[in-house]
Amino acid sequence: MSAVMESVGFASAVKPHEAMLQAVRALADGPLAELADDIDRRGIYPKGILQRLGELGAFKAHMAMDGATVDFGAAIRAITEVSRVCGATGFMVWCHDVCGVYMEQSGNPALTGSALANHVAGHTLGATGMSNPMKTFAGIETLLLKAREVEGGFIVNGALPWVSNLGPDHYFGAVAVVEGDNSPREVMFIVHCDAQGVELRHCPSFSAMEGTNTFAVRLTDHFVAADKLIADPVRPFIGRIRAAFILLQVGMGLGVAQGAIDSMWQVERQLGHVNEFLEDRPDELQAELDALTERTMQLARTPYAHHKEFLIDVLDARAHASELSLRAAQSALLHQGARGYLMSSAVQRRVRESHFVAIVTPAIKHLRKEIARLSADEMPA
Amino acid sequence: MTLALVVEVAFKSFICRACGLIYDEAKGDADSGLAPGTRFDDIPDDWACPLCGVTKADFEPYEVTAIERRASAPRQTAGTRGDAGVVIVGAGRAGWQMAQALRERDADVPITLVAACDASVYDKPLLSVALARGLALSALVKEPAASAAQRLHVRLLPRTHAVSVSTQANTLRTTRGSLRYRHLVLAHGAEAREVAQLPAALCWRINHLDAYLKFRALLGEPDPAAPQRVLIAGAGLVGCELANDLALAGHAVTLLDINALPLGSLLSEAASHELLDAWRGLPLRFVGGVKIASVEKAGGVCTVQTEDCQRFDAEHVIAATGLQTPGRLAQSAGLAWSNGIAVDAVTLRTNVPNIHALGDCISIDGQALRFIEPIGRQANLIAGHVTGGAGLPYANRRPPVRVKTGSKGFTV
């Protein structure tokens, strides 16, 4: 550990996040790789790994805390390094990272300051219940949580089907529609899992995501005070953070694809003579992945831009990452053959992880629909 | 000699040829009762792979050597999975002409046409003379898209947006999936130039059939009892032709331009005056030398305000303030750009070998040339290159242009 800390201190003088990324890579290749099968098949929640990632600084590269340089690219690369080894853990890093964005961008003193400091250090762990709101704002669903405005806050009722990275001492961002208002209005807030009127219920088993502590959350007359508010109104806030939300997710796809390519090379010496008959060979996939990574890093320089062409680029990069991880994971299985098909093999686990990358909100179909909507010519009505 | 007996031999690894399990002598295998440090040679012959159960004889020495990640040899596979052949983006005149020219030269090459619109075949120049010629809206479509696609044996993706090009994978990314191309031909044309003072939600941009049909549906027939006022911003070719056509049909038209005279950049001052004379007697009022400051809409009426504080009310506003080439695809593909997609003047090839472009989206020596006549020649030339035959070099020349202002026509 001291060696790691020393190397952090040394390298940070040169390139602020390179040492963090090296330490994250070492953690992923070591303890996380050991645990990945247990996370997948025994549903072990890797709390220690997440806390260690916090200690290593993996949750703060994209935060403007203490006057630090905001580097979304480094945050995405950290998610990539984790997802390369375990897609479920990479997903939870995204959940936690994007919760940090909600808190920071809320401007609410009760959610910034020490609460945010504990969050980015991994002392407390957060999540996001935004699948339903994101689909609602894209015109695909309607909001599941209902809020009633009362003295000093809101009373919220309703249930969210599955929220990941939860636990009794965790919290997550959520959105409810405010009832009684003539024009549609929503509020966004933090829910603490141990608060009154919050109940976690177990979900059916989830392919590749058993270790993500995913629960259904039922809110019954849950009181949201001003100190928990992230945004009111919500739509301008979502408009501001939407690209950042999606950009961070790209890291999951980049990582799953890279893990798949790595496993193709593992069998190249033994099986190259038959694998040459396959399409999607590792060198081709790597070239495509490298170009997509470079494109993502470009977009990550302006995570809070929100003009139309930029948004389309972000949505397209996210879709490309999904499609590439599907193809790479599939091809890795074909490259490895029976050994990759063993239940203990990361190769078949990664096939399921790639499916998750492709279906988690925003899924490929959502992304395409939204790109089509943004691309359509606007005309007078 | 006795020294050699105490030299430690480094631990080795052995790999199961069936399942890839690696037996590491240093770690042993606790499940089989093999202590760390157990040499492979010392394992009983009846030992089985702990993972898949094959015998010791099915293991071979395994050396952990880094694999050099180099490009593999030229592909032996046909690589036809998802092959979209020649992919054409755009189903205006340039896109369809391209498909036709390709099919005439090669009966078999797969052709995929990606169109943001419904891909109906039509003549864009007719949109600005349709009223005067008494063309029914239904007659504007020369051939339904599905019929043209069938005739030319083209896979058509209508209402599909081309999003980006991944040149490493020779893939066009679209809102209906990714297309792997052998050749990509960009024929997506130009779009109305964005002008902040003329918001798209309030101002029509008559740049394709879809927009024209919607505009005409809202405009309705001229009704003396309830006259519809149309304000057109921009008195270039399109603005003047549309103004002329709408006025001939009896609509009340106001035409604004930043220049003092209509078609100021194309015609001589005398000719512009001839045009104004010809418009006398039509419900067409030209106001030159004005710059629009804002457009606002209230109660179904748009109010256009100029920078010199003149106000014009109209039920419909049309922006005809010029074209620009959308840069999204070119940028993602890393194409050279100069006021449009820069193509070679002779081959019409971009700086990426298997990407060509034609029509309104290209520029040659920094000049866009947005005319109908060259499109057929461009399509033939590209089809020649793409199908491997030799084509005539492209001669870049500006064709004569007929200004279709029915009251007074000009050829420039």
Side-chain angles (χ1 to χ4, degrees):
Chain A
M1 156 115 79
S2 65
V4 170
M5 296 310 286
E6 275 165 26
S7 76
V8 168
F10 170 71
S12 62
V14 190
K15 215 171 178 186
H17 296 294
E18 221 44 53
M20 176 276 284
L21 289 166
Q22 271 177 32
V24 168
R25 194 172 307 139
L27 182 73
D29 285 335
L32 180 59
E34 288 280 316
L35 199 58
D37 192 52
D38 279 348
I39 295 170
D40 179 38
R41 287 201 286 165
R42 292 178 52 223
I44 301 296
Y45 176 66
K47 188 167 188 176
I49 298 277
L50 291 170
Q51 288 168 330
R52 183 78 188 114
L53 284 166
E55 286 170 25
L56 296 175
F59 301 147
K60 72 175 182 191
H62 63 306
M63 295 275 136
M65 299 187 69
D66 313 323
T69 317
V70 176
D71 189 347
F72 263 72
I76 294 166
R77 286 170 64 198
I79 295 175
T80 303
E81 290 296 345
V82 175
S83 303
R84 184 175 54 81
V85 173
C86 175
T89 308
F91 171 54
M92 288 186 280
V93 175
W94 171 77
C95 294
H96 185 78
D97 273 1
V98 79
C99 186
V101 171
Y102 304 156
M103 293 167 73
E104 180 190 62
Q105 296 296 314
S106 75
N108 184 340
L111 297 179
T112 49
S114 63
L116 188 55
N118 281 324
H119 180 87
V120 299
H123 299 152
T124 58
L125 293 170
T128 168
M130 292 297 286
S131 174
N132 165 248
M134 284 300 190
K135 281 188 257 186
T136 299
F137 297 145
I140 298 167
E141 290 187 359
T142 55
L143 282 173
L144 294 165
L145 299 183
K146 319 281 183 203
R148 185 161 43 85
E149 197 156 11
V150 295
E151 180 72 34
F154 299 87
I155 299 285
V156 182
N157 281 285
L160 295 171
W162 27 69
V163 183
S164 299
N165 200 33
L166 294 188
D169 52 348
H170 293 205
Y171 44 85
F172 64 95
V175 170
V177 62
V178 181
E179 293 188 307
D181 276 24
N182 290 330
S183 52
R185 169 188 161 214
E186 300 88 10
V187 284
M188 184 167 171
F189 47 89
I190 286 280
V191 177
H192 283 259
C193 296
D194 60 356
Q196 202 162 14
V198 181
E199 183 194 354
L200 304 187
R201 296 183 171 196
H202 284 283
C203 291
S205 297
F206 253 127
S207 176
M209 292 291 133
E210 273 303 274
T212 58
N213 266 16
T214 299
F215 292 92
V217 182
R218 181 171 293 263
L219 301 183
T220 309
D221 289 336
H222 171 65
F223 179 63
V224 175
D227 64 348
K228 299 285 185 290
L229 276 188
I230 295 169
D232 177 9
V234 174
R235 286 174 196 244
F237 181 85
I238 295 295
R240 198 166 77 240
I241 65 150
R242 190 159 73 136
F245 177 101
I246 295 166
L247 267 174
L248 288 168
Q249 274 186 341
V250 176
M252 292 160 42
L254 297 178
V256 169
Q258 186 62 65
I261 293 170
D262 291 347
S263 62
M264 293 180 194
W265 288 114
Q266 274 165 15
V267 295
E268 186 63 14
R269 200 166 56 94
Q270 273 204 308
L271 303 177
H273 63 104
V274 280
N275 283 345
E276 67 175 297
F277 292 92
L278 293 169
E279 57 269 89
D280 281 333
R281 299 279 282 133
D283 58 315
E284 297 172 306
L285 290 169
Q286 189 71 57
E288 192 175 340
L289 177 61
D290 289 348
L292 175 61
T293 302
E294 192 187 317
R295 188 174 170 216
T296 306
M297 292 300 123
Q298 287 284 340
L299 296 169
R301 290 181 184 178
T302 55
Y304 294 108
H306 51 264
H307 59 275
K308 191 171 80 176
E309 294 300 324
F310 176 76
L311 267 181
I312 292 174
D313 279 333
V314 169
L315 296 165
D316 185 46
R318 168 78 175 87
H320 195 169
S322 286
E323 290 164 29
L324 189 55
S325 59
L326 284 173
R327 268 171 50 219
Q330 164 100 337
S331 192
L333 187 59
L334 299 181
H335 275 70
Q336 285 235 343
R339 69 189 64 176
Y341 202 61
L342 291 166
M343 274 311 280
S344 58
S345 167
V347 175
Q348 60 77 29
R349 166 166 56 83
R350 205 166 278 117
V351 170
R352 291 179 280 120
E353 290 173 350
S354 73
H355 291 167
F356 180 76
V357 171
I359 62 105
V360 69
T361 308
I364 289 174
K365 57 192 176 179
H366 301 143
L367 292 161
R368 289 183 186 166
K369 182 178 175 168
E370 186 65 3
I371 293 170
R373 189 185 72 79
L374 290 168
S375 302
D377 284 342
E378 196 180 4
M379 288 184 212
Chain B
M1 297 308 277
T2 42
L3 263 179
L5 294 175
V6 295
V7 169
E8 284 194 11
V9 179
F11 288 121
K12 290 177 184 163
S13 292
F14 295 80
I15 186 167
C16 169
R17 287 189 286 143
C19 71
L21 176 120
I22 290 166
Y23 177 78
D24 182 346
E25 290 178 338
K27 289 182 181 166
D29 180 50
D31 292 345
S32 316
L34 301 175
T38 305
R39 298 292 183 178
F40 189 76
D41 283 343
D42 297 331
I43 298 175
D45 285 336
D46 63 352
W47 177 77
C49 171
L51 199 51
C52 69
V54 299
T55 65
K56 182 183 169 187
D58 291 309
F59 278 71
E60 63 182 24
Y62 178 70
E63 282 175 35
V64 187
T65 47
I67 296 279
E68 190 192 344
R69 298 187 174 197
R70 60 188 160 72
S72 39
R75 302 288 166 247
Q76 299 301 310
T77 52
T80 51
R81 193 183 67 168
D83 178 18
V86 181
V87 173
I88 303 168
V89 180
R93 161 92 64 155
W96 280 118
Q97 287 256 350
M98 191 64 237
Q100 172 136 4
L102 277 169
R103 191 50 81 222
E104 282 168 359
R105 281 165 183 265
D106 188 329
D108 301 318
V109 64
I111 303 173
T112 306
L113 190 65
V114 178
C117 60
D118 75 356
S120 298
V121 183
Y122 74 102
D123 286 322
K124 194 184 282 186
L126 288 182
L127 300 186
S128 53
V129 293
L131 284 164
R133 294 200 186 169
L135 293 173
L137 290 178
S138 59
L140 288 173
V141 173
K142 279 205 311 198
E143 185 178 13
S147 147
Q150 194 175 24
R151 177 169 56 81
L152 296 172
H153 185 42
V154 162
R155 179 184 171 208
L156 175 65
L157 296 177
R159 304 245 177 254
T160 301
H161 297 274
V163 185
S164 63
V165 180
S166 171
T167 50
Q168 300 77 22
N170 287 324
T171 297
L172 175 75
R173 303 183 46 73
T174 82
T175 48
R176 295 191 200 278
S178 300
L179 298 165
R180 196 171 278 209
Y181 57 79
R182 299 179 205 171
H183 289 271
L184 178 65
V185 182
L186 300 179
H188 55 60
E191 62 189 5
R193 199 161 57 85
E194 276 196 44
V195 179
Q197 291 83 358
L198 299 168
L202 300 180
C203 303
W204 292 96
R205 287 156 163 80
I206 312 290
N207 192 34
H208 46 71
L209 182 61
D210 266 5
Y212 184 71
L213 293 178
K214 283 184 180 145
F215 166 69
R216 285 284 303 274
L218 272 188
L219 180 69
E221 296 301 317
D223 179 358
Q228 299 267 300
R229 295 163 293 179
V230 182
L231 184 138
I232 299 176
L237 266 177
V238 171
C240 284
E241 291 185 2
L242 279 171
N244 191 90
D245 198 48
L246 289 163
L248 281 173
H251 296 284
V253 180
T254 306
L255 180 60
L256 306 187
D257 200 274
I258 196 163
N259 294 311
L261 293 168
L263 288 172
S265 56
L266 269 181
L267 301 183
S268 67
E269 198 176 316
S272 288
H273 279 291
E274 279 181 49
L275 180 60
L276 282 176
D277 287 342
W279 280 345
R280 250 176 230 154
L282 289 180
L284 200 176
R285 174 184 173 209
F286 175 77
V287 182
V290 291
K291 199 162 180 222
I292 291 173
S294 67
V295 179
E296 280 166 4
K297 188 171 188 179
V301 175
C302 294
T303 301
V304 176
Q305 185 145 349
T306 62
E307 285 188 353
D308 59 356
C309 295
Q310 298 186 63
R311 287 165 60 95
F312 303 91
D313 286 345
E315 278 70 37
H316 311 278
V317 177
I318 296 173
T321 49
L323 298 173
Q324 66 188 8
T325 301
R328 154 167 298 285
L329 296 182
Q331 197 178 13
S332 63
L335 301 187
W337 183 268
S338 176
N339 192 31
I341 299 166
V343 294
D344 181 84
V346 176
T347 63
L348 301 178
R349 217 177 66 180
T350 69
N351 55 314
V352 175
N354 62 343
I355 304 183
H356 288 77
L358 76 161
D360 285 3
C361 63
I362 64 170
S363 73
I364 294 174
D365 301 327
Q367 291 288 315
L369 207 62
R370 298 192 176 114
F371 301 105
I372 296 288
E373 184 275 332
I375 289 175
R377 293 190 288 126
Q378 293 170 356
N380 277 323
L381 175 88
I382 294 173
H385 280 290
V386 164
T387 55
L392 288 173
Y394 178 67
N396 184 29
R397 56 173 190 263
R398 181 187 185 282
V401 175
R402 181 73 184 165
V403 183
K404 304 181 295 300
T405 40
S407 322
K408 167 75 193 166
F410 300 88
T411 301
V412 291

